[in-house]
Amino acid sequence: MQQEITAVAPRLKEPGEGLTLALTATLKRDLVLMLRRRGEVLNPLVFFALVITLFPIGISPDPDLLALIAPGLLWVAALLAALLSLDSLFRSDFDDGSLEQLLLAPQPLAALSLAKVAVHWLLTGLPLALMAPVLGIMLALPSGSYLVLAVSLALGSATLSLIGAIGAALTVGLARGGVLLSLLVLPLYIPVLIFGAGAVQAAIAGDSVSAHLAILGALLAAALMLAPWAIAASLRISING
Amino acid sequence: MWAFIHKLGSPKWFYGISARLEPWFWVAAALLIVTGTVWGLAFAPADYQQGNSFRIIYVHVPAAFLAQSIFVSMAVAGLVFMVWKIKVADMAATVMAPLGASMTFVSLFSGAVWGVPTWGTWWMWDARLTSMLILLFLYLGVIALRGAFTSRDSASRAASVLAVVGVINIPIIKYSVDWWYTLHQPASFTITSRPAMPTEMWMPLLIMVLGFYSFFIALTLMRTRNEILRRESNKRWVRDRVQEA
């Protein structure tokens, strides 16, 4: 037994190297898996467009009114679209057992789950941020705020993915965790929504947006630092329980 | 010190010590709440602007204090449970959640009732009201998560993680809601900016706050003891005690 271990060990010369290897492998694997299920990547985007379509129908097609509420609408709809995609973040890995392999891996689970969250953001948050300006045009969003909208959504959705992953990890072992997941995660999303929509509103009003974006960045930094540990602890609970 | 903590972790020892402490807190709660209520409702002078409607403060403020303190105690109990695996801490956290949620509801409801005579409306998207509403949702999330698991151990650990995550987020939420409120709506009138209260008004309030805290401690001790009996019902000392009674 001892010999077998030493026979495998030489491939990983330093612990740090093993971590980089594991991180890139997780990133690559998740990207490939997600890109093979294009429907799942597209669904949040379609949902985003659909929800935005509902508002002019439900409220009023008047461009002046729409321009007034567009920042909030775009942010809330993008937030809900990101929320919708969270349930599948760990679900398939939980079902086929690869999540258990992640737990057994010698590399820290917090780092590996961070890689999974990064893929989730790349394929959900970032596309949503890129798509938002197009929907902004349809809502008569005043010009000059499109770049801020995209940047604030890109920054904010990374925080949303990190916080949401805690909820997804807590509910992945439950058969019907979907509604519960939104109940857990939505209250924690409120600060991001406030500063994200606030940035767009500040841009429309002609104020400086750097304060809003800086706070969004600070929220992201704090989430990057703390959320991986909570995600790892939650995954352990969901799998061992 | 450590021996004391270890003893506190034993359900049997905790059951014994809490049985001795509980009556004192019940007595303190009853005395303080009765004194505070009578003093606040009958003897404290009426507010020169709000008249008698300001007396809702004697329920509203203590409830709001408790709503926030209970969440913090719940998170501390959850952390203790996660780090040291002390089961009693989790039992306490379990029984605290519904009380905290109801206190949050009481403070929201009494605030709404108070809003009618002072603001002329049941609800305003005021920063404090909004933060309290979010706190209520956080409580409901913790309760719902605990109920969703079939295994008690997973439920306890999951609820502990969520309570700790929530308590880290509460200051961030509070701060951002304050920012949002000052950015969006001019503070036309707030409850906070009333003139400093005279002694005969805030003394009953202080007594009510202390009374509510005693009530919280007494109720938590009582419900934790029930929870101990329920969870440890297959232990010998519990059976012996039940047969004695």
Side-chain angles (χ1 to χ4, degrees), chain A residues 77 104 112 179 196 201 223:
Chain A
L104 292 173
L112 297 179
V179 184
Q201 276 159 354

Side-chain angles (χ1 to χ4, degrees), chain B residues 69-238:
Chain B
S69 317
I70 293 178
F71 204 99
V72 176
S73 354
M74 195 172 76
V76 170
L79 193 70
V80 167
F81 172 69
M82 274 198 295
V83 176
W84 291 288
K85 310 275 175 237
I86 294 176
K87 273 192 271 173
V88 174
D90 176 59
M91 296 177 193
T94 313
V95 302
M96 275 180 209
L99 181 64
S102 33
M103 279 300 151
T104 317
F105 181 77
V106 165
S107 74
L108 277 171
F109 183 77
S110 58
V113 172
W114 196 1
V116 175
T118 45
W119 297 341
T121 169
W122 290 91
W123 182 263
M124 266 187 32
W125 288 99
D126 168 79
R128 288 169 165 225
L129 268 69
T130 314
S131 320
M132 280 314 256
L133 187 65
I134 298 168
L135 184 67
L136 181 64
F137 289 136
L138 286 174
Y139 270 119
L140 294 181
V142 173
I143 296 172
L145 185 66
R146 195 184 281 278
F149 282 87
T150 40
S151 132
R152 181 183 289 148
D153 188 51
S154 312
S156 306
R157 291 197 290 157
S160 307
V161 169
L162 189 65
V164 172
V165 169
V167 94
I168 293 173
N169 270 281
I170 283 175
I172 302 177
I173 294 174
K174 178 112 186 63
Y175 166 72
S176 47
V177 167
D178 283 349
W179 169 301
W180 161 79
Y181 182 71
T182 47
L183 207 67
H184 278 246
Q185 291 163 347
S188 44
F189 30 30
T190 56
I191 336 170
T192 45
S193 64
R194 67 176 167 284
M197 275 193 283
T199 319
E200 52 274 29
M201 270 165 143
W202 66 254
M203 269 309 278
L205 183 59
L206 183 71
I207 291 174
M208 281 302 267
V209 169
L210 292 176
F212 267 58
Y213 272 101
S214 311
F215 169 72
F216 158 58
I217 295 170
L219 193 69
T220 306
L221 286 178
M222 187 184 90
R223 298 198 60 209
T224 308
R225 296 177 69 221
N226 287 346
E227 191 74 14
I228 290 175
L229 288 187
R230 210 161 60 84
R231 289 200 199 176
E232 308 272 292
S233 55
N234 52 356
K235 298 276 164 68
R236 177 177 284 162
W237 71 268
V238 175

Side-chain angles (χ1 to χ4, degrees), chain A residues 6 24 47 50 60 63 71 85 93 129 158-159 165 180 186 200 212 231 233 240:
Chain A
T6 44
T24 40
F47 177 84
L50 251 171
S60 149
S85 65
D93 283 354
T159 318
L180 182 61
L186 278 178
V200 184
H212 289 89
I231 299 169
N240 295 338

